[in-house]
Amino acid sequence: MLIPCALKKPAPVTAAKADWLPGTHWIGFTPTNGSTNAREQRRATINAQIDGGYIIEYVTLKFDDPNPGFETDPQYLADKAAHSKVAGKFIAIHRLRASARSLRTILGDQEYEQLQNMWADGDKRYRWSVAFPIIESYALVPHRYANEALSPEAMARVFAHPSGTLRHLNDDERSQIAELEIEPRHTVNAWIGIEDVAKMAEQSQINRKRSFSPI
């Protein structure tokens, strides 16, 4: 099916995320350092770039090398094999949710430590530690090479330079991807959005005894 109208207005695809390790149930961003302030600054930046819309995920041509000792790790080999099938392509459209939950909370201690062991830069054990859960997702069917969907000018503007954040899409670039075909896919972290909203409601100051007249 074609991208639904909900992805154009009032919730357009506002930005692109370049990843060499495709997101499954979360999209991660690395802060400038491991402090709480740095994480919150990066979270605020990404949330502003999302601006209430969707992101389109692009898989880079290059796949990084893991830390020494992980070259034959089964997870690394599986990720590298999966990358080879989608390198250079747009693969999905996601709605992300800003959450105060840490990546460790989302993954659990064991998986988080394994991730940092494999990919952290020395003692900087906060790789991708600003995590945005994917609460709504659509797979592109089929996956499309980005340089076929976008003009050379758009490819150069959006993906020519590395970025630790999202890449803003303008109206012309949105029009170029508007007819990509997608289908909904299961999102295992949708519960985070529901639970966060429930917690906000519990903490609200609304008088539970107040009655409302029907409109």
Side-chain angles (χ1 to χ4, degrees):
M1 66 177 180
L2 297 180
I3 291 177
C5 293
L7 299 187
K8 300 176 184 178
K9 293 181 181 179
V13 178
T14 53
K17 176 67 167 75
D19 268 325
W20 47 267
L21 191 63
T24 52
H25 53 286
W26 57 276
I27 298 290
F29 302 86
T30 302
T32 55
N33 59 60
S35 70
T36 299
N37 187 55
R39 289 196 300 271
E40 290 310 309
Q41 286 181 344
R42 183 52 52 94
R43 193 187 317 280
T45 295
I46 300 303
N47 202 38
Q49 290 179 317
I50 295 171
D51 194 24
Y54 291 75
I55 69 162
I56 186 167
E57 186 176 13
Y58 164 73
V59 179
T60 60
L61 293 170
K62 183 178 183 297
F63 191 79
D64 277 10
D65 295 323
N67 289 328
F70 288 92
E71 296 86 352
T72 59
D73 182 88
Q75 185 62 56
Y76 167 72
L77 294 177
D79 289 341
K80 187 174 183 179
H83 169 270
S84 68
K85 298 177 181 179
V86 293
K89 296 180 180 181
F90 285 132
I91 62 169
I93 289 171
H94 307 300
R95 184 186 286 277
L96 307 181
R97 183 177 184 84
S99 175
R101 298 167 190 267
S102 67
L103 179 59
R104 184 185 293 274
T105 300
I106 293 172
L107 295 182
D109 288 339
Q110 182 175 353
E111 188 174 348
Y112 179 83
E113 292 299 334
Q114 175 74 356
L115 185 73
Q116 299 305 319
N117 290 340
M118 190 179 298
W119 298 111
D121 180 11
D123 61 353
K124 300 176 182 178
R125 298 180 65 81
Y126 45 83
R127 191 84 184 260
W128 304 306
S129 62
V130 177
F132 280 68
I134 297 171
I135 62 170
E136 183 182 348
S137 187
Y138 301 85
L140 268 64
V141 184
H143 298 148
R144 287 285 304 277
Y145 281 106
N147 62 6
E148 294 178 352
L150 294 178
S151 67
E153 294 77 14
M155 278 294 296
R157 193 194 76 79
V158 179
F159 297 119
H161 305 288
S163 174
T165 61
L166 296 173
R167 293 101 186 289
H168 170 73
L169 298 182
N170 60 35
D171 289 342
D172 179 58
E173 290 149 3
R174 274 191 287 274
S175 71
Q176 293 179 44
I177 64 171
E179 299 306 317
L180 296 179
E181 295 188 0
I182 62 172
E183 63 181 23
R185 67 180 190 179
H186 179 62
T187 51
V188 299
N189 274 341
W191 66 271
I192 290 179
I194 297 171
E195 188 171 283
D196 284 352
V197 170
K199 287 183 177 180
M200 289 174 61
E202 289 175 356
Q203 295 170 3
S204 72
Q205 299 301 310
I206 295 174
N207 186 339
R208 295 170 184 252
K209 296 182 179 180
R210 181 178 175 183
S211 62
F212 292 88
S213 298
I215 296 176

